[in-house]
């Protein structure tokens, strides 16, 4: 399992109504505190670098009504947020790291994460529902992430090809 640091949702020094609003609409952010290695269904080992901050926002909020992004969907959410932000994954092969499936795009990442969810959770109905919600509603987040300037995150212990 990944080692995560939760960020606080700030509610101090706000009115009761403002605090309630923040608790309802703010998404908690999490940061990986060490490189996280994960083996995909095709046996490819990928690395999400230390320092990656995510909140599950690439999964549409409608999914959050049914499933917590830090519960059953935690592993797919981390991968999905990284894929949506950077449009590649870091892969490990022979003690070297390279960009895996760079530029694969919205549909490929959504399918990959659906497959990871199915393998990880073995709950086809939930994973297909989540995938469908991402296909229908995830475009806004995809386009938002693709327009943002990204600071590259490199895995800490490996050289890149």
């Amino acid at each position: 399992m990944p080692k995560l640091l939760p960020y606080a949702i700030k509610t101090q020094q706000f009115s009761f109504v403002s605090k309630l609003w923040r608790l309802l609409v703010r998404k908690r952010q999490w940061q990986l505190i060490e490189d996280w290695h994960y083996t995909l269904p095709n046996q490819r080992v990928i690395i999400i670098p230390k320092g990656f901050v995510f909140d599950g926002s690439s999964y549409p909020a409608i999914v959050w009504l049914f499933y917590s992004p830090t519960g059953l969907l935690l592993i797919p959410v981390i991968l999905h947020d990284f894929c949506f932000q950077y449009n590649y994954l870091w892969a490990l092969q022979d003690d070297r790291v390279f960009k895996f499936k760079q530029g694969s795009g919205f549909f490929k990442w959504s399918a990959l994460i659906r497959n990871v969810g199915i393998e990880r959770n073995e709950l086809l109905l939930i994973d297909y529902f989540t995938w469908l919600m991402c296909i229908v509603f995830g475009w806004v987040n995809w386009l938002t992430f693709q327009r943002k300037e990204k600071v590259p995150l490199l895995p800490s212990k490996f050289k890149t090809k």
Side-chain angles (χ1 to χ4, degrees):
M1 289 297 289
K3 291 187 180 179
L4 302 172
L5 173 68
Y7 287 7
I9 297 174
K10 299 200 185 284
T11 57
Q12 294 175 338
Q13 301 176 355
F14 287 95
S15 70
F16 175 76
V17 172
S18 184
K19 287 178 183 182
L20 186 59
W21 177 253
R22 286 171 169 270
L23 289 171
L24 292 174
V25 299
R26 291 282 171 112
K27 297 176 182 177
R28 182 174 309 278
Q29 291 186 313
W30 302 82
Q31 182 179 32
L32 285 172
I33 58 173
E34 66 182 25
D35 286 351
W36 176 54
H37 295 69
Y38 185 78
T39 304
L40 296 174
N42 67 1
Q43 302 309 305
R44 169 77 62 193
V45 176
I46 57 105
I47 303 170
I48 305 297
K50 172 184 176 178
F52 176 62
V53 176
F54 70 97
D55 63 5
S57 68
S58 67
Y59 265 48
I62 192 169
V63 174
W64 291 37
L65 296 173
F66 303 102
Y67 317 106
S68 167
T70 57
L72 181 67
L73 298 176
L74 177 64
I75 302 304
V77 160
I78 295 170
L79 297 173
H80 201 260
D81 278 14
F82 191 85
C83 294
F84 263 46
Q85 286 184 39
Y86 292 97
N87 203 11
Y88 62 83
L89 287 168
W90 288 111
L92 176 62
Q93 185 173 350
D94 302 327
D95 290 332
R96 307 270 297 161
V97 179
F98 63 97
K99 290 181 180 178
F100 177 63
K101 295 192 178 246
Q102 186 172 10
S104 287
F106 177 80
F107 289 108
K108 292 282 188 186
W109 293 128
S110 295
L112 173 71
I113 302 315
R114 177 199 61 213
N115 295 340
V116 166
I118 290 169
E119 179 195 50
R120 185 94 186 150
N121 305 322
E122 298 178 343
L123 295 168
L124 286 163
L125 186 61
I126 290 172
D127 293 311
Y128 268 96
F129 171 76
T130 303
W131 169 76
L132 181 61
M133 292 299 101
C134 285
I135 294 297
V136 173
F137 298 106
W139 280 100
V140 173
N141 291 326
W142 171 259
L143 294 173
T144 301
F145 279 127
Q146 295 312 301
R147 289 183 186 141
K148 287 182 181 178
E149 189 162 329
K150 300 161 209 49
V151 176
L153 279 178
L154 300 173
S156 57
K157 296 181 182 177
F158 299 96
K159 298 176 184 174
T160 59
K161 283 185 179 178

